[in-house]
Amino acid sequence: GEAVAVLNVPVTNAGQMDGDEIVQVYVRNLQDPYGPKKSLRAFRRVATRAGETVGVEFALPSAAFEFFDR
């Protein structure tokens, strides 16, 4: 579906070697004490060079928030 939330996350490789990172987005409904503590809604593998910061964008569709009532 159409994106209803866009997240921009900076990822910094503070190490001295190039590497990969898996950035994960979890959604949690604080009003539902019996629901899951968190639910994985998006993820992306990001390659970064040593000392580099890259921006990772996630466009979440309405289905990512399926347990919320608008």
Side-chain angles (χ1 to χ4, degrees):
E2 185 177 324
V4 296
V6 177
L7 305 173
N8 291 297
V9 181
V11 176
T12 301
N13 179 350
Q16 296 183 7
M17 298 180 66
D18 296 350
D20 289 335
E21 187 65 54
I22 304 293
V23 182
Q24 301 175 338
V25 177
Y26 290 88
V27 174
R28 181 173 160 190
N29 183 350
L30 298 175
Q31 277 30 135
D32 183 3
Y34 304 107
K37 287 198 171 205
K38 57 186 175 181
S39 181
L40 180 65
R41 296 303 184 185
F43 66 92
R44 183 168 300 148
R45 178 180 222 115
V46 180
T48 57
R49 294 186 174 157
E52 178 183 42
T53 297
V54 296
V56 181
E57 183 174 291
F58 292 95
L60 299 176
S62 58
F65 305 96
E66 64 193 0
F67 48 78
F68 288 92
D69 183 354
R70 270 193 177 184

